[in-house]
Every structure is written in structure tokens, then in C-alpha cells.
Amino acid sequence: MKKPKTMNRENLTHNPAEQALIAQLIEANQEHLFADWDEPGINDEAKAAFLADLARINSSYPGGLAGYIANARTLLAEAKEGSNPFEGCVPHQPNPVDLTQFDASYDRYEALGKAHFGKTAFVLVAGGLGERLGYSGIKLDIPVEVTETTPYLAHYAACLKAMESRMETPRPVPLIIMTSEDTNAKTLASLEAHHWFGLQKEQVHILKQELVPAIADNEGHLALEKKYKLVLKPHGHGDIHMLLHTSGIAARLHAQGYEHLVFMQDTNGQVFNALPAALGVSVEKGFDFNSLAVNRIPGEAVGGLARLIGNGKDLIINVEYNQLDPLLRATVSPEGDVPNERGFSLFPGNINVLVVKLASYTRILESTQGIIAEFVNPKYSDATRTVFKKPTRLETMMQDLAKLFGPNERVGVSVFDRRWCFSAVKNNVADAAAKYKAGGPPESGATAESDFYGAGRTRLSVAGMTVNEAPETLILDLPMTPGPRVILRPSFALTLEEVRTKISGGTIRGEATLVLEGENIRLENVEIADGAALVIKACAGAQVTVRNLKVANDGFELVRLTEAEMQSEATPEYLRIRGYRIENRGAKVYAFTTPGTYLIDATGAVGAWPVQRPK
Ligand code: UGB
């Protein structure tokens, strides 16, 4: 880079702290940032904003801007050499705990996890812009389902409230939400507008991640968009660890007796299905770090969890799929990532839901300041790897925390059925359809909703209800199973054992709908016909038994959006990312707003309990 002309430093600012920072940056070879500045009195506002940006980033990054630049130079030098981060390592199967079957061990883990709810806190990383989805709002506001239109954040809050109601001594479950410049204001506005979704304001902690400066070249020069304006980019979800450290929240939770932190992504309606059992696994096996995972087809574009041994290390970490296959070919077998007898890779797919023991986490945060394995991924425009196509930046991923958990810690992997534990909203309709066509998970609004209902059906089946699925159909070239649409609210059931005790017998068919909300509802031999809908909402203290009811009505109908509706601004965006809406044509709704004991009998009439029982 050509040496630029720098102004007399004293002329740049009269603020001593800013002068000190400028001196540090010039020391770090960033003179170009202050070159060709206008005389005092010209563009002063832009200069002040530029210096404020620098100061903010300097204080938010451990080690300051000088540290960031030094880290960038080291990583860029390694990238230029093309060094293989896994050189000397051999991948092994991570010996996962298999929770794909709902057997006695699943029940044991769930019960253990449930008993541990009072010692668990949650971290939601929600700073992502969702560029691939192309949604104008925040992802937490997107409805997980459009039968009743429940936003993801409302669903998560309901899960936390349900956890609280199941504790022997109820206490609020802490929820930490990481936002970013892109999502912070909208997240706060959503919480305010919905009265914190029933949570106490004090139990929710917002941590905003900062953008980091982009880097123009291998020397680590910070990139300028124009004079007085840095190019800023997201640093990745790994920022959460730094923020939990610098805010003191991780240490505080540990001191308050919380034992585990659960990390989760912004859109995954099924995450709480698997959590009780995953928590139970962490407790029983004493795992310091437990990754939730799914069975993965070899080559599938999902990071694989592998045990890597070599270079004096023995780690269970996420290896990106494009690195895993070459690593296997170079070490274990020339065939690379091959399927086992069930067609799955030996390396389960990471879904980025992590259960981490706070005692070990806080110790690791202390020693690392929460800076977790940064990486850089510049795209070069020349063979000598000297010129970048566009400025790059250092990034971190929250799952790379595992790189700091060595043989002294217990690191494990818990594998669940995919639809049971994971389905995210990441892609717009066209991209999702292309991914589906290529054999990968589409991760669209429609497929996430379809999977959400599917997991609900699984709960009914496990409880012994007969479930006849409607045939899968394509909506905008994306697969959707239109029913039965089953929504068992967290207040109704958080564990499989709860579903089993509350539902016995019965049948649900085709495009039927079932919504159950409230802790004390019991269904006995209830039959819901294809297309019909039963909705029961029972307030706290209302005990409702439904016996031998046959539900037949016009229910809810899934209506495809027309081309004109897809294009129209008047159609809510959350529908346009799916391609359909769901309309109530005559669902039977029972709402119990007063505590009491009720029976809905075979005729559908509501009576007070005890009533004449049918012979
Ligand atoms: N996020 C932030 O909070 N801040 C950021 O700067 C960036 C993201 P993406 P990604 O589900 O299959 C992850 O972009 O990173 C939040 C795993 O790394 O949706 O491409 C954001 O709001 C990958 O191993 O996903 O891939 C969202 O909640 C695999 O598990 C979360 O971070 C993959 O997810 C994830 O961000 C997957």
C-alpha cells in the first residue's frame, strides 16, 4: 500500500484518549486511516463519527484494535501459506449417545433433565441478519406456525415459562439474547410490544455484538469505504462467548448456582423437544460440553462432529463438511466420508445447540477472555494470494468453543432424530427449492413449519394415538406434509412422559388440526377426522378431560397463495416466505378461562366433573 500523507496528529483531535488511540493505530501501521484529512473546521462531524467508531470497536474487542490487527496478520499469513488447520490430526467417530429411539433410556434422560430445569439458563444467538432468507424483519418475529401465528420468540418464552412451572421451587429461567446492530432495536421493540412474552424483564439479558472492521490486505490494513468511514462486518456467532465474559453474566449465573448454559439459534421450533433429554445426558455423563446432533448423510452440507486426535490433542469438534471429506481421504480411508449400514456418516451433523457446564465454561472464559478460535476466509484474486477480491474480516463460530475443551473435560455428542430436534428457517423459497433439489435440507419457512407439526405428530404416536399422515405435497417446489397439524403447547407438555400421561388412545387423520394449551388437559379416545380441528385452551387451574369425542368440522384449511398474492405487499411477508396461509373454516374451540374441573363428553358438550360416566 502506498504511503499516504498524514496530517499533523495534534490537528486530528483535541481529545487525549482519541489521540492515544490514533498513536496506537499508527504504531500498528494504520496511518492510511488518517491520511488526507481535511483542515479543522471541514467535515468535523464525519471525523468525530469515525473516531467514535474506532473507539467503540477498540473497547469492545479484547486486546483492542491493535490486538485485532495483530490477530488478523497472523491468520492472514497462515491463510496465505494455505496451511491445513487439521494437519497431523486423524478423525475418529465421536462415540455419540444415540437418542433417536424413544425407549426407556430416553425417558430416564428426560426425567433427569426435567429435574435440572432450575439450574439451567439459555442463550439465544440472534444477531444474524438472515441475508439468505431475505426477510425484512428479525427472524425471532417470524411465526413458527401460521395456524395460530406464534413467533419464534413467543414460543421460546412459553417453553421457559413451562420449565418454570415444572420446578419444585419455581424461579425464572435466565434468557440471554445476543443481538447485533442489525437486530437489536427490533428485538427490543418486539419484547416491549409483547410485554416480554410473559417473561419478567429482569430474566432477559440483551447482549449486543459489535461489528468488526474489514481488512484490506495481508498486512492487516483496515479497509475504508470512503474517507472517515470504515468497512464494518459481522464477527459471527462466536462473539457470544466474549460477551458472556465481558458482561460478567456467565460468572454471575455460575455464582447464582446455575449449572448449565444451553446455546441455541434464532429459528428452531423443535429445540425444546430434545432439550430435557440432552440436559439429562449432560447431567448423567458429567459432560462439560454436549453438542446436539443429527444423523447426517455423507457429503451433506452440514458440519460433522468428529473426534480429532493428533498434535498432542484429542478434541471432539465440528469439522465443516468441505474439510471433513478431504481430511478423511488424507488419513483414514481413500473413500472419504462413507455411509454406515444405516446410510449415515460416522460423523453426526452439528445443529449448533450446545449444552455447556458453567463451571468449566467460566474457567475457560477467564483464561481466553472468550475469544474463541477466530478464522479468516479471504477470497484472493491472484495466484500469489496477495490481493483480496473484497475486504475480509476475522470471524468466530460459537461451536468452536469446543476447541478449548480438551482431554481434561468430558465432551460428548447427543444424536436425535432430525425432525424431532431441528428445523431452521434460513433460505428464501427459490434457494430452498434448489437445495432440496440437490438433496439437502431446504430450511425454508414452509419446511420448518411442516417439521414442527411433524414433531407434534411424533409426540402423539409415542403416546399411543393413531396418526394417519396426509400425503406430502409440493408448495413452490418445497416439500410440505399438510397434516395432521399438531401443536402441543409447552404449557401442555414439555416431555414425552407428560404427553403419555395426558393422551391415551384416539386417532387423528389427514389434514386434521389439534392444538392443546394448558397444563391439565387429558384426551381419552378422541378421534379427529381428516380436515377437522380441535382446539382446547385451559387456564391455570382448569382441569379438562375429553372422553370419546369424535371431532368432525371444517377445521382449518391450508390455502396456497396466488401468484398475485405472492407479489403483493399486502400479503404478510411471513406468508410469502412459505407460499400459503391457513384459514379457520370452523374449528371447534374450547376455551376454559375459569379454574374448575370439566369434562367434554362424546357429544362435545361440556359438563362439570364429576359427571355421569358412560358405561
Ligand atoms: N448469528 C449471530 O448471532 N451473529 C452473527 O454474527 C451471525 C449469526 P446462521 P451458519 O443450522 O445447519 C450454523 O447464519 O453460521 C446467529 C452453524 O455454524 O443461520 O451459517 C444467527 O442469528 C453450522 O455448523 O448459520 O451455520 C443464528 O441464530 C450449522 O449448524 C445463528 O447465529 C448451521 O448453523 C446461526 O447463524 C445449521
Side-chain angles (χ1 to χ4, degrees), residues 457-468:
R457 291 194 289 277
T458 301
R459 294 167 120 190
L460 296 184
S461 302
V462 171
M465 196 171 195
T466 304
V467 178
N468 294 337

Side-chain angles (χ1 to χ4, degrees), residues 42-55:
I42 303 172
N43 277 329
D44 284 353
E45 261 181 35
K47 291 176 203 163
F50 182 63
L51 290 171
D53 272 354
L54 287 170

Side-chain angles (χ1 to χ4, degrees), residues 124-132 139 178-180 183 209-211 233-240 264-267 301-304 318 320 349-353 393 396-399 422 424-426 441 443:
L124 182 53
V125 289
L129 184 54
E131 274 171 305
R132 285 177 282 166
K139 286 206 198 173
M178 183 170 79
T179 61
S180 66
T183 62
Q209 64 176 144
E210 291 293 343
L211 299 167
K233 296 197 174 193
H235 191 224
H237 35 76
D239 269 355
I240 186 59
M264 53 196 253
Q265 308 194 41
D266 46 18
T267 57
V302 174
N318 174 61
E320 284 311 318
N350 169 48
I351 61 165
N352 249 9
V353 182
R393 87 291 202 174
T396 64
M397 298 196 290
M398 73 171 172
Q399 63 268 39
F422 180 62
V425 184
K426 301 214 177 195
E443 302 198 310

Side-chain angles (χ1 to χ4, degrees), residues 310-329:
N311 300 333
K313 289 192 177 168
D314 183 348
L315 301 170
I316 296 180
I317 58 170
N318 174 61
V319 182
E320 284 311 318
Y321 66 97
N322 51 348
Q323 294 173 319
L324 182 59
D325 191 69
L327 181 62
L328 287 165
R329 283 176 198 278

